[in-house]
Amino acid sequence: MSGETYMPASWGYGLLAVFGVVWVALGIYLGRRSRDMEGFTVAGRNVGLALGAATAAATWITSNTVMLAPQFALQLGLWGMLAYCTASLGLVLFAPLSARIRQLMPRGYTSAEFVRLRYGRVAHLVFMGISLFYGLTWLVSMAIAGGVLLESLSGIPYFFGMSAILATCVAYTLFGGMFAVIGTDFIQTVIILAGVVLVGFWVLGEAPADEIHATLLERRPMLLDLAFPAALMALFNNLLFGIGEIFHSNVWWSRAFAFREGVAWKAYALAGLLWLPIPVAAGFLGLAAPALGINVLRPDTVGPTVAAEVLGSTGAIVIFVVVFCSLASSIDSLLAATGDLLTHEVVKPLRPDLSDASLRKWASAVILGLGLATWVACWPWDHRAGEAWYAGDPIGSLATILFFAGPLVGSAIAPIATGLYSRRASPWSATAALVCGTGAGLYAYFEMGWYTAALVGAAVSVAITAVGLALGKPDFEWSRLDPEAGEAS
Amino acid sequence: MSWVVPFWAFSALVWGALGLAGAGSVALLVLLVIDIKNRRTW
């Protein structure tokens, strides 16, 4: 890690303490409604448009969005930012699916439950493997990113920063469940959007757009070139990775279940619109660096470097708060959604006799266990050996690990989408699509590069699904997705 | 082959993104007020 920070550590500790207390207090306050499982895991299935759109946008704005977008802009130019923007399409494309999910499974809880009811046990097992691998990878990478970023911004030691942000998120998710997650997500979204806009306007005041453009044209014209091949590959890979992440992950399904009837579609479409400008609004800081004469030593922290150079300590505080909110809004959602997945798909089948109140206690215990497991996984074990495993280019290393999940989630796009709309989609084609898509994507990851993995995984999965649809019989009964309907009536 | 983005497009992209993000934060607050008024928050 570089020894240079952007603000005194004491300020960082102060901000951590203030946000920690505020989020946990909010979690306790909002958690008054989370007494039963329905409240704790899907917020009573009555969430309105404002909170719905904000929670979807906040969860999708990770620390990567605000930190990696400027790095992409600096290294891949305009296409780097625009490639990142395509991730918003995942939210927009999920909008109709979320309405369909809400309609087909009005009493549903998880995405794995859909796969089990729609495609059977074998596909469910494969899907659970993919979902848990992806969810845990994202969770661990966010917690590590938290420690690394807080250290690089304020000098707070990695272990303390990682532990503090994880403990805060576990505490308020534990007290308030989905109500706390959605409530805090709203505030976090407004803070992130306002922070990014504030820093953006401030930087443009110091380095006007014409100056940035002229400097790039003179010194690094490739960054303004729309025919930049490496960036074009990244565009398609990012697009499919983002769609795969959203279509399969319980983070997004649990929200579809939580939204009031008729809200899911609008909430996801609006969230896509809210998210769309963030990679450009945050990313252009990377392009402003040459015009401002800033010598960027570490591309992964070019965003805070530019903000702190231009705005001084105020800029560093704003960036710290934006990064903290981006991390918290994703970590809390992952804890809640992965916790739901384990509670409903592992604990409940093993203990079908559990009452609602007991299951609610199990859900809390699972979240606590997940938090502890994440904390252990993020422990800087190798520090004792002299250097942490993520040393060097920590954010880049984390992104590479996360991209490893690309083929896994890319292979889930076709089985999920067709399973929701076509009665022809069959268990064997879904299982084959998941397994072969993942295998082919991982082969591409190692043989061709990370930027092709999701693309290849999704393509193979689509081809197998298409064959399955051609050969399958239109015999699936949609009512099987809501088995409790019969019991209720 | 080279397609360099002209200044007007670059400027529109950056200002447009900042404007959309700013409008988004305001829109969320307005929507929340409407939801609270109609008792449709959650």
Side-chain angles (χ1 to χ4, degrees):
Chain A
M1 303 281 313
S2 150
E4 185 193 347
T5 59
Y6 304 94
M7 60 197 273
S10 55
W11 296 12
Y13 284 117
L15 287 169
L16 265 186
V18 169
F19 277 100
V21 169
V22 169
W23 294 149
V24 175
L26 266 172
I28 294 170
Y29 175 72
L30 300 170
R32 294 165 306 153
R33 294 159 167 264
S34 293
R35 289 191 196 92
D36 57 8
M37 273 307 275
E38 194 94 335
F40 191 74
T41 56
V42 286
R45 303 186 194 276
N46 219 13
V47 175
L49 182 58
L51 294 178
T55 188
T59 305
W60 206 217
I61 303 171
T62 66
S63 60
N64 277 348
T65 321
V66 289
M67 297 293 289
L68 215 56
Q71 183 185 350
F72 268 29
L74 185 70
Q75 294 173 332
L76 298 171
L78 274 186
W79 268 133
M81 297 192 299
L82 296 174
Y84 223 121
C85 288
T86 58
S88 71
L89 270 179
L91 289 171
V92 175
L93 292 175
F94 190 66
L97 268 66
S98 65
R100 179 80 173 154
I101 290 164
R102 189 72 173 74
Q103 178 203 346
L104 293 175
M105 300 175 72
R107 281 167 274 262
Y109 282 100
T110 70
S111 53
E113 182 184 355
F114 164 77
V115 174
R116 176 165 46 81
L117 295 169
R118 181 68 183 82
Y119 293 128
R121 288 280 170 196
V122 181
H124 177 251
L125 202 66
V126 176
F127 185 81
M128 278 295 283
I130 290 175
S131 267
L132 288 176
F133 176 82
Y134 167 78
L136 294 174
T137 310
W138 191 10
L139 186 57
V140 170
S141 73
M142 282 295 105
I144 291 176
V148 171
L149 292 176
L150 298 189
E151 180 170 309
S152 101
L153 290 173
S154 66
I156 293 175
Y158 162 80
F159 185 66
F160 187 89
M162 179 275 291
S163 305
I165 196 162
L166 194 57
T168 302
C169 293
V170 167
Y172 73 76
T173 309
L174 202 60
F175 288 126
M178 198 57 141
F179 278 113
V181 170
I182 290 177
T184 50
D185 275 359
F186 182 87
I187 303 168
Q188 287 156 355
T189 311
V190 174
I191 290 176
I192 293 166
L193 287 171
V196 166
V197 171
L198 185 71
V199 172
F201 274 103
W202 222 325
V203 168
L204 279 178
E206 293 294 319
D210 55 346
E211 202 177 309
I212 297 174
H213 187 266
T215 311
L216 290 174
L217 211 53
E218 185 191 325
R219 294 189 208 161
R220 304 185 68 180
M222 189 176 268
L223 298 183
L224 292 172
D225 194 345
L226 288 182
F228 195 169
L232 280 169
M233 284 293 269
L235 180 88
F236 289 107
N237 194 71
N238 266 25
L239 175 65
L240 287 166
F241 188 17
I243 294 172
E245 283 180 279
I246 292 180
F247 276 27
H248 98 283
S249 172
N250 194 47
V251 166
W252 313 101
W253 281 67
S254 60
R255 278 161 176 71
F257 295 128
F259 295 160
R260 181 195 298 272
E261 206 177 339
V263 161
W265 202 100
K266 293 179 217 159
Y268 273 106
L270 181 57
L273 205 58
L274 289 172
W275 198 93
L276 180 70
I278 304 292
V280 174
F284 93 95
L285 297 187
L287 295 178
L292 289 162
I294 296 171
N295 184 24
V296 180
L297 298 173
R298 285 182 49 191
D300 60 335
T301 55
V302 60
T305 303
V306 170
E309 285 278 344
V310 174
L311 317 174
S313 44
T314 314
I317 291 174
V318 174
I319 290 284
F320 185 98
V321 171
V322 167
V323 167
F324 184 87
C325 288
S326 315
L327 287 161
S329 64
S330 304
I331 292 174
D332 62 3
S333 304
L334 278 160
L335 283 168
T338 315
D340 289 353
L341 209 59
L342 290 168
T343 306
H344 285 281
E345 300 303 313
V346 179
V347 176
K348 206 174 169 185
L350 290 173
R351 299 281 307 275
D353 55 319
L354 285 175
S355 66
D356 188 81
S358 303
L359 205 58
R360 163 75 178 78
K361 284 180 189 159
W362 267 98
S364 299
V366 166
I367 287 173
L368 194 60
L370 258 180
L372 278 172
T374 306
W375 186 67
V376 171
C378 299
W379 188 289
W381 296 103
D382 292 346
H383 268 161
R384 283 173 297 177
E387 197 172 89
W389 64 268
Y390 53 79
D393 176 14
I395 308 301
S397 311
L398 291 171
T400 310
I401 294 170
L402 202 56
F403 277 125
F404 186 78
L408 281 74
V409 303
S411 72
I413 298 173
I416 292 286
T418 54
L420 280 168
Y421 288 100
S422 172
R423 294 172 67 200
R424 286 178 179 273
S426 64
W428 72 263
S429 69
T431 311
L434 289 171
V435 173
C436 299
T438 297
L442 286 179
Y443 177 80
Y445 179 92
F446 290 112
E447 294 299 318
M448 293 191 257
W450 62 265
Y451 48 87
T452 60
L455 198 65
V456 171
V460 169
S461 170
V462 165
I464 294 173
T465 306
V467 173
L469 287 180
L471 300 177
K473 291 178 187 160
D475 57 0
F476 183 79
E477 293 296 331
W478 295 118
S479 58
R480 283 166 56 189
L481 294 175
D482 187 23
E484 286 176 38
E487 294 167 28
S489 63
Chain B
M1 191 169 63
S2 168
W3 293 330
V4 171
V5 170
F7 167 67
W8 64 266
F10 176 76
S11 180
L13 182 72
V14 172
W15 283 108
L18 287 173
L20 194 56
S25 60
V26 175
L28 272 182
L29 291 169
V30 171
L31 276 176
L32 183 66
V33 172
I34 294 171
D35 275 354
I36 290 172
K37 269 188 168 179
N38 295 330
R39 296 178 178 277
R40 295 174 70 89
T41 320
W42 51 24

